[in-house]
Amino acid sequence: MSNLETWSSVEVCSSSATAGPVREVLPSKAVMLGPGTEVRRLLPTLGRRMIGAWCFVDHYGPDEIAARPGMQVPPHPHIGLQTVSWLLDGEVHHRDSLGSDVLIRPGDLGLMTAGAGIAHSEQSPVPHGPLLHGAQLWVALPDAERAVAPRFEHHARLPVVTEPGVHATVLLGEVAGARSPGLVHTPLVGVDIALDPGADTPLPLEPDFEHAVLTVSGAPEIDGGELQAGSLCYLGSGRRDLRLRAPRGGRFLLLGGVPFAEEIVMWWNFVARTGQEVADARAHWQAGPPTGGADAAFAPVPGYDGPALAAPPLPPTPLKPRGRTR
Ligand code: MN
């Protein structure tokens, strides 16, 4: 998915960590992703920019798309991050400049490591089902590994941990000894947890991680309070477990990781370290596809019929690095 905002405000921020457990429901904002597709942008948000290395969280749907095109995101570039595509309902056709051509279904992990540079498109297939519901998540790569070669992983079989009333699918990282096959570059976790009606259980957490929960359906009780669908709740760090209750059932994503120590510059679809690096990546994309040779980043997306996305103008103020919180 592409960030279609024209530009985000630029601030200099300190990187003060939140030590210890907290419970903060974060504000969301509605963002248009092309005509007719609105998403809830939950990260970055006012007061918080990252959860571990997770640096971007969009939740979309469930949307009725039977008579509509659904998701239609033309080719666009990424650098310095991984994208995580997770569907709860519907399907998305992923194509990228490496030649990947994959239909991502509910329960599949689409993990794209942009590294030095990649371009991809995402489209609802034709024909497609009546509903579209999912999450698009980005993970910032650490400085030492942010220029790795791009890669795309499609994992249709992920580990599932089952306890009475609880079904946890491990997208990334490890839960209760079950480890995702997805390649990560910093210690982090991403889990889809479905609770049966009446569930009441503790979920073990890694105390060195900070965590957040995104409810995708129902209104489970997280750490003593209901969390409505479409809401992201920051939980801080230092927790060994989290109490989960769901009198009427519910489903959520748990995101966590070691607090990300580096300051990043995030603009459009790029995660970088300096404003100049962002400007260079933008100019590179706007210059059009490479003519060949070793310059494979931002190559055309095979099989996509139509124009690529143009980058928005850079903001008038210089881009400066920002830490985890504003
Ligand atoms: Mn994208």
Side-chain angles (χ1 to χ4, degrees), residues 1-2 76 78 83 120 122 136:
M1 190 167 291
S2 172
H76 60 277
H78 289 285
T83 65
H120 73 146
E122 295 157 292
Q136 171 77 7

Side-chain angles (χ1 to χ4, degrees), residues 40-131:
R40 284 173 293 287
R41 170 95 12 104
L42 296 150
L43 202 72
T45 189
L46 199 62
R48 190 145 303 276
R49 294 180 46 77
M50 299 184 79
I51 297 150
W54 299 97
C55 61
F56 181 97
V57 174
D58 271 359
H59 175 225
Y60 53 91
D63 289 328
E64 170 59 61
I65 61 163
R68 298 197 288 135
M71 186 181 293
Q72 294 296 331
V73 184
H76 60 277
H78 289 285
I79 63 167
L81 56 83
Q82 294 178 292
T83 65
V84 175
S85 300
W86 186 246
L87 283 162
L88 302 155
D89 216 325
E91 300 172 326
V92 169
H93 188 175
H94 165 97
R95 291 185 174 102
D96 65 43
S97 48
L98 301 174
S100 311
D101 188 329
V102 172
L103 195 61
I104 301 172
R105 299 182 170 88
D108 298 0
L109 174 67
L111 176 63
M112 186 178 79
T113 303
I118 196 168
H120 73 146
S121 63
E122 295 157 292
Q123 296 173 285
S124 295
V126 181
H128 56 70
L131 289 176

